[in-house]
């Protein structure tokens, strides 16, 4: 698809964390008064993560970090929250695993973004299927319906190979129950992603999010891994577009160049009128290859 998104502003790094090496998986949310950002804070070197919470009067900051969110849920990979604010309530959907089979998409609610109550899991992995492991859930409202988009992966022996899956709320509320729609984006649909048999396969498609475009089409925002280049330089934010929420999606390709010796990934798109805002993670030489957040914007009316 010959679609080019031209970002006319890009601020990176947006802020420096207080006491951790890396910031990943950003999800900014406006509560009507101030901005909240939820994400993963920790260290890639040890794959230890906590749930970041920070607030600011504006997306550009200044950002104030708060104590990490303790949901008291079990799992070796509790991270990457997808959060939405509706009718005065924050709804957080969060993974429990991402580097092994199993896992749950947990659902927690909060009135203020600080104090949370964990409810029953929204969805769980299905053993011995393409959803033998699930992670990276993100809520979306498309066509007035409530959805969860997430990564699902079959059993693996070397490294996860997830594709993108979708579930729809049967009550059209964030409380479910959730009906699985199935896979909406496969490795084979993304020519700029490393194939399953790639000799230096790095990872699958992850960090997916859905957002409705002003013209009614659906934008899928996700992370791929390029089939060329050295590790540490192959992760990219890419967009794909469909007429319907369940696809088929046609990729518009990677949308943001991190420059030499760097990469970007897991991000959240926000659309206000004709303005698209991309809140993303990236690591480059300037950050000593530690993950930080960036903020880029483009005018949809100028999309080529």
């Amino acid at each position: 698809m010959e679609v080019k998104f031209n970002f006319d502003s890009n601020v990176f790094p947006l802020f420096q964390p207080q006491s951790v090496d890396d910031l990943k998986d950003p999800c900014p949310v406006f509560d009507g008064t101030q901005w909240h950002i939820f994400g993963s804070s920790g260290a890639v070197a040890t794959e230890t993560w906590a749930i970041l919470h920070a607030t600011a009067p504006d997306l550009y900051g200044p950002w104030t970090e708060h104590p990490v969110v303790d949901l008291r849920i079990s799992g070796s990979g509790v991270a990457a929250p997808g959060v939405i604010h509706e009718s005065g309530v924050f709804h957080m959907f969060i993974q429990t695993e991402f580097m092994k089979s199993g896992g749950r998409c947990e659902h927690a609610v909060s009135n203020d973004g600080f104090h949370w109550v964990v409810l029953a899991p929204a969805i769980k992995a299905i053993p011995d299927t393409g959803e033998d492991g699930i992670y990276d859930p993100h809520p979306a409202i498309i066509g007035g319906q409530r959805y969860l988009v997430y990564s699902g992966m079959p059993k693996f022996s070397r490294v996860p190979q997830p594709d993108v899956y979708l579930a729809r709320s049967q009550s059209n509320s964030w409380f479910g129950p959730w009906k699985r729609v199935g896979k909406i984006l496969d490795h084979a649909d993304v020519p700029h992603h490393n194939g399953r048999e790639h000799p230096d396969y790095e990872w699958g498609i992850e960090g997916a999010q859905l957002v409705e475009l002003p013209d009614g089409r659906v934008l899928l925002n996700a992370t791929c891994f390029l089939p060329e280049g050295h590790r540490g330089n192959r992760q990219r934010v890419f967009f794909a577009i469909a007429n319907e929420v369940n696809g088929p999606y046609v990729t518009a390709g990677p949308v943001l160049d991190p420059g030499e010796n760097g990469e970007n990934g897991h991000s959240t798109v926000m659309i206000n009128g004709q303005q698209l805002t991309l809140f993303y993670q990236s690591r480059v030489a300037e950050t000593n290859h530690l993950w930080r957040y960036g903020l880029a914007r483009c005018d949809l009316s100028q999309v080529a």
Side-chain angles (χ1 to χ4, degrees):
M1 176 179 287
E2 294 296 326
V3 178
K4 186 169 179 59
F5 292 82
N6 299 300
F7 290 91
D8 51 27
S9 66
N10 186 8
V11 177
F12 178 84
L14 195 58
F15 67 91
Q16 300 292 342
Q18 295 176 355
S19 58
V20 297
D21 289 342
D22 297 286
L23 296 176
K24 298 187 72 178
D25 315 319
C27 184
V29 184
F30 188 63
D31 68 2
T33 303
Q34 64 179 344
W35 284 95
H36 299 248
I37 187 167
F38 301 93
S40 306
S41 64
V44 168
T46 58
E47 288 294 358
T48 54
W49 301 102
I51 305 171
L52 171 77
H53 180 210
T55 55
D58 184 86
L59 271 176
Y60 289 100
W63 287 95
T64 300
E65 290 181 61
H66 303 291
V68 297
V69 177
D70 183 6
L71 297 179
R72 301 187 184 276
I73 59 177
S74 61
S76 65
V78 179
V83 185
I84 195 165
H85 184 268
E86 186 178 6
S87 301
V89 178
F90 292 89
H91 293 267
M92 177 187 291
F93 297 91
I94 189 165
Q95 70 191 31
T96 60
E97 308 292 346
F98 69 98
M99 296 187 71
K100 64 181 185 181
S101 293
R104 308 175 306 281
C105 168
E106 294 279 8
H107 179 200
V109 294
S110 172
N111 292 325
D112 59 9
F114 292 84
H115 305 91
W116 294 85
V117 175
V118 179
L119 307 178
I123 55 175
K124 299 179 180 180
I126 305 175
D128 301 315
T129 71
E131 298 181 55
D132 190 75
I134 61 171
Y135 71 102
D136 275 356
H138 202 115
I141 300 176
I142 306 292
Q145 297 292 312
R146 284 151 184 79
Y147 294 92
L148 288 176
V149 63
Y150 57 98
S151 286
M153 57 190 178
K155 282 187 175 177
F156 61 92
S157 58
R158 187 164 58 95
V159 64
Q161 296 188 339
D163 296 305
V164 179
Y165 286 77
L166 184 67
R168 177 177 56 83
S169 173
Q170 293 182 279
S171 67
N172 201 24
S173 77
W174 297 116
F175 302 102
W178 297 90
K179 179 178 178 60
R180 281 168 155 91
V181 175
K183 185 189 297 187
I184 61 171
L185 192 73
D186 184 88
H187 278 54
D189 300 324
V190 187
H192 48 82
H193 180 62
N194 54 192
R196 295 185 190 279
E197 305 304 321
H198 192 286
D200 188 29
Y201 183 91
E202 190 166 353
W203 207 273
I205 307 168
E206 61 180 11
Q209 177 212 3
L210 298 175
V211 62
E212 197 165 6
L213 291 168
D215 64 8
R217 291 182 298 168
V218 183
L219 176 73
L220 188 152
N221 159 44
T223 299
C224 67
F225 291 81
L226 303 179
E228 298 89 23
H230 299 292
R231 289 187 177 227
N233 291 271
R234 290 165 53 188
Q235 190 171 165
R236 292 291 187 278
V237 174
F238 77 96
F239 292 167
I241 298 173
N243 291 324
E244 306 290 340
V245 67
N246 58 341
Y249 284 88
V250 178
T251 180
V255 296
L256 191 65
D257 184 1
E260 292 186 20
N261 197 20
E263 59 185 354
N264 55 47
H266 198 140
S267 58
T268 294
V269 161
M270 295 162 286
I271 293 178
N272 184 10
Q274 290 294 321
Q275 184 183 67
L276 182 150
T277 299
L278 179 71
F279 207 120
Y280 66 95
Q281 67 179 40
S282 182
R283 58 180 174 184
V284 295
E286 178 187 349
T287 65
N288 198 27
H289 300 287
L290 298 174
W291 289 103
R292 295 290 182 268
Y293 293 154
L295 184 63
R297 283 177 163 157
C298 77
D299 184 348
L300 287 174
S301 67
Q302 301 301 313
V303 169

